[in-house]
Amino acid sequence: MATRKIAPAVAAGCTMVLKPANLTPLTSQLFAKVMQESGLPAGVLNVIATTTAGQTTGGLIKDSRLRKLSFTGSTEVGRRLLADASENVLRTSMELGGNAPFVVFEDADLDAAVAGAMIAKLRNMGEACTAANRFIVHESVAEEFSRKFAAKVAELTTGPGIEADSNVGPLIDQKSRDKVHELVSDALAGGAVVLTGGAPDSGAGYFYQPTVLSGVAADARILNEEIFGPVAPIVTFRDEAEAVRLANNTEYGLVAYVFTQNLNRGLRMGEQLETGMLGLNAGVVSNAAAPFGGVKQSGLGREGGLEGIEEYLYTQYIGIADPA
């Protein structure tokens, strides 16, 4: 994740201070070491690992030498950072929360849709801002899609990544697993049905059973909050207008996924969906050559592509007097 910020900053000639997530600092420190071994001068990339982010970054954000703030994390923290950055009118990039809809139309290739759903939902155990959060399926194919999807999910095995037969690893900590189960429990209390999974794994580690839910009520928290875990809630729709309404019924707008064999419909959905990215018959949208980012409460700015380096540059106009 840090490479999306560091690479364009280096290309633009910037020096950087990187504060990695407090639960995952080691990869950032290793990456900084690799960059120096590759020839990056000392002091260009500086890594500060801390468990007291506010106290550490507060002084940095107020420093008049700072020109840019780029953040990946929750919308709640992003709002606070935007407020802090306003004091010195810092340029900002915010890659914040998501609540991605995964829309399956009646003409979709259901096997391809299931394969896409497996990737969109379960990559990194669902702990990804781009993870599909709400599965919105046409009522005429909902039963078949749900059955096939649940069967594939049920084949997965939880366990440490070093085990050869493990498909799904643990969540990052106990708090995260508790939040996932809280959302599942709320959905079940509202009438949802478990097709597979539905509970934490027993034993050591923060494992949660890969889960598929159907019949999820419209007001269930799991449809309105970022899950960040291996749980897929399914709801149905009747027509394209309802699919658009359900997909846009969120404060977030990072990415959406649409499966249909009608290209015109797919492009129409792209025009109507309030997201910064769209995966059309694809469960993965991330591409270093393409601009990554969202709208609404999912943030502002872009990482990757031509747009990514523009975030670290500014335009200066020089008017030269006519020599005549």
Side-chain angles (χ1 to χ4, degrees):
M1 197 177 298
T3 60
R4 286 178 172 173
K5 307 176 187 300
I6 294 171
V10 170
C14 302
T15 55
M16 298 147 283
V17 177
L18 171 66
K19 191 212 76 65
N22 61 351
L23 294 175
T24 55
L26 299 182
T27 51
S28 293
Q29 292 176 337
L30 178 59
F31 181 68
K33 180 180 178 182
V34 170
M35 291 286 285
Q36 288 193 344
E37 291 175 349
S38 301
L40 189 72
V44 173
L45 174 59
N46 308 275
V47 180
I48 300 177
T50 178
T51 57
T52 56
Q55 296 176 24
T56 303
T57 60
L60 291 172
I61 294 175
K62 293 178 180 178
D63 194 305
S64 61
R65 294 171 293 180
L66 191 66
R67 292 289 180 269
K68 163 82 178 182
L69 174 63
S70 179
F71 172 71
T72 297
S74 72
T75 297
E76 179 184 4
V77 174
R79 291 191 190 107
R80 293 202 300 267
L81 290 174
L82 283 169
D84 292 343
S86 68
E87 187 172 330
N88 282 339
V89 196
L90 295 178
R91 187 166 184 176
T92 58
S93 298
M94 296 282 151
E95 200 278 277
L96 308 176
N99 189 8
F102 189 103
V103 182
V104 181
F105 281 97
E106 68 273 21
D107 67 339
D109 180 331
L110 291 188
D111 290 333
V114 168
M118 294 293 289
I119 299 172
K121 174 71 263 184
L122 294 163
R123 184 171 61 255
N124 198 42
M125 292 73 68
E127 293 179 304
C129 55
T130 55
N133 214 62
R134 299 167 293 141
F135 290 80
I136 303 169
V137 186
H138 192 273
E139 59 183 10
S140 68
V141 296
E143 183 178 351
E144 183 180 0
F145 173 83
S146 300
R147 175 173 49 80
K148 289 184 173 183
F149 186 27
K152 285 291 185 182
V153 171
E155 294 174 359
L156 300 175
T157 301
T158 58
I162 58 175
E163 294 183 359
D165 62 345
S166 172
N167 307 114
V168 180
L171 299 182
I172 190 66
D173 59 12
Q174 181 70 48
K175 180 180 178 182
S176 297
R177 188 174 73 167
D178 290 346
K179 169 67 180 304
V180 170
H181 190 54
E182 185 179 306
L183 293 175
V184 171
S185 298
D186 174 77
L188 296 179
V193 177
V194 176
L195 301 184
T196 188
D201 260 356
S202 59
Y206 308 122
F207 297 96
Y208 198 89
Q209 297 172 3
T211 298
V212 179
L213 306 175
S214 67
V216 180
D219 60 349
R221 289 176 53 199
I222 203 166
L223 297 179
N224 297 291
E225 300 179 27
E226 193 169 23
I227 302 171
F228 240 59
V231 180
I234 299 174
V235 299
T236 63
F237 69 92
R238 295 178 181 176
D239 54 34
E240 185 175 313
E242 185 179 16
V244 171
R245 180 182 63 78
L246 291 173
N248 286 338
N249 186 29
T250 175
E251 64 179 349
Y252 300 105
L254 182 60
V255 61
Y257 304 92
V258 172
F259 277 75
T260 176
Q261 296 189 67
N262 185 326
L263 180 58
N264 287 333
R265 170 186 274 163
L267 295 176
R268 245 188 350 261
M269 290 295 288
E271 293 176 347
Q272 297 177 86
L273 294 178
E274 298 166 352
T275 60
M277 300 176 288
L278 172 65
L280 183 53
N281 295 322
V284 177
V285 295
S286 298
N287 186 323
F292 183 102
V295 297
K296 298 164 70 174
Q297 297 291 317
S298 287
L300 47 87
R302 292 296 182 267
E303 295 178 342
L306 176 63
E307 294 82 356
I309 195 169
E310 291 293 336
E311 298 287 339
Y312 296 88
L313 301 172
Y314 67 89
T315 300
Q316 182 186 54
Y317 164 70
I318 300 176
I320 302 176
D322 188 340

